[in-house]
Amino acid sequence: MHIDQIILREIPLALREPFRISSGAIHERRILLLELYDRSGARAWSECIAGEAPNYSPETIDTAWIIVEQYAATRLLGRNVEHPGAVHAILERDLRGHQMAKAGLEMGCWGLAATIAEEPLGRFIGGTRSEVDVGISLGIQASPEALVDRARRAVEDGYRKVKIKIEPGRDVEWVRTVRAELGPKPHLMADANNAYTLDDADHLAEFDDLGLIMIEQPLAWDDLVRHAELQRRIRTPICLDESITSLERAQDMVTLGSGRIVNIKPGRVGGFASSIAIHDYCQQAGVPVWCGGMFESGVGRAYNVALASLPNFTIPGDISPSARYWKADVVHPEWTMHDGRIRVPLDTPGIGVAVDEDRIINSAVRTALLRA
Ligand code: OSB
Ligand code: MG
């Protein structure tokens, strides 16, 4: 692989409905897409998941743009890279943090390598599934009744897991209402996005009789030690999202007992090599993993679907179909769900979907062309 050009583009993508989590709301995504060109003429699209504001991680689309443009892309341009598995180390050396910026490039290299190898991305990385189980992430609603209504519709639509965003004042009682209305069967979980402290441990323990499959990231975004203390005080398994930014943090989670499940978002951990390493480590440690989402366009979703085809992704991912997010996605075919599953594209080499290039070029609000 020999990348000689990378194009960055930002496009606006309006959400069908606003999405609110404990740390902020979004109405429209600013999507950062990358296009990588190999010297052979092969090309691949990828996506950087950084958000609009630094309320999930310290990164934003604007910081990611600067890091890719000024520091990271030059390390790959004009350089011969034997295998995409080597890219993570190239980008890590003396470039601290900025996992999302690095991951946009790193994952693009995997997409490009799979394209050149004429293999579907899922198979190229060792995926074994031909379908992945789908969950939905429900933002904080206006009332418990509205939440019950959304959750009921999700179950009727076939989603295999319903994740409920929570915050103080909209937590145990709201989830209890959903459980009471929907019965014991649906797989329910809660995601707090750091809204609590250890002082809330007794309150969080009230989730224990609601049969949740997990509670995601109740405490601070970079914490492991307090999560370990909390896990000793509640029975509901803790799943870490924000806190897991590398293989080492996943190992620390297991060593400290900070959680029992890992949400892997490839963008959050620096890309596919790191995601696969976390997957493999968790598999041998007996820790289930699932693929999280960041309201990606269909391009980022292609990478999540491929990743989730690895064998230890045993819990349904936040990989909903295109229509859950957008009026029209930027890929063809759009991602669709059948019986609560999304098919892993195995007939097409590379990321498995075609990108609507005209629409992306015409709607780009900024573009940067980077050359060797
Ligand atoms: O915590 O998982 C999260 C979206 C934005 C920021 C953080 C999170 C989320 C989601 C979205 O839950 C899941 C999806 O993409 O469907
Ligand atoms: Mg989360």
Side-chain angles (χ1 to χ4, degrees), residues 47 291-307 318-326 329 331 334-336 342 351 353:
E47 178 168 345
C291 185
M294 290 288 287
F295 274 58
E296 291 88 348
S297 80
V299 175
R301 201 160 306 281
Y303 287 86
N304 290 348
V305 169
L307 185 69
D318 283 347
I319 312 178
S320 302
S322 300
R324 181 260 183 277
Y325 308 94
W326 323 112
D329 205 337
V331 299
E334 293 205 345
W335 295 100
T336 54
I342 287 180
I351 68 170
V353 283

Side-chain angles (χ1 to χ4, degrees), residues 163 165 191 193 216 241-242 263 265:
K163 167 163 128 179
K165 292 288 186 177
D191 185 358
N193 292 104
E216 187 176 342
D241 171 359
E242 284 90 332
N263 166 334
K265 293 176 181 171

Side-chain angles (χ1 to χ4, degrees), residues 168-242:
R170 297 178 167 85
D171 50 30
V172 177
E173 287 316 312
W174 290 40
V175 175
R176 194 188 302 284
T177 308
V178 173
R179 181 56 91 199
E181 293 290 326
L182 271 55
K185 262 180 89 181
H187 288 311
L188 300 180
M189 62 169 290
D191 185 358
N193 292 104
N194 330 314
Y196 299 90
T197 71
L198 261 186
D199 292 344
D200 301 308
D202 290 340
H203 178 60
L204 294 171
E206 293 173 24
F207 277 116
D208 284 350
D209 57 10
L210 299 182
L212 303 188
I213 54 178
M214 70 191 92
I215 179 169
E216 187 176 342
Q217 196 75 32
L219 307 182
W221 66 281
D222 56 350
D223 178 79
L224 289 169
V225 171
R226 289 159 194 80
H227 277 111
E229 170 69 21
L230 179 63
Q231 185 67 91
R232 286 191 283 274
R233 295 174 59 180
I234 66 176
R235 273 184 285 116
T236 308
I238 291 175
C239 167
L240 294 182
D241 171 359
E242 284 90 332

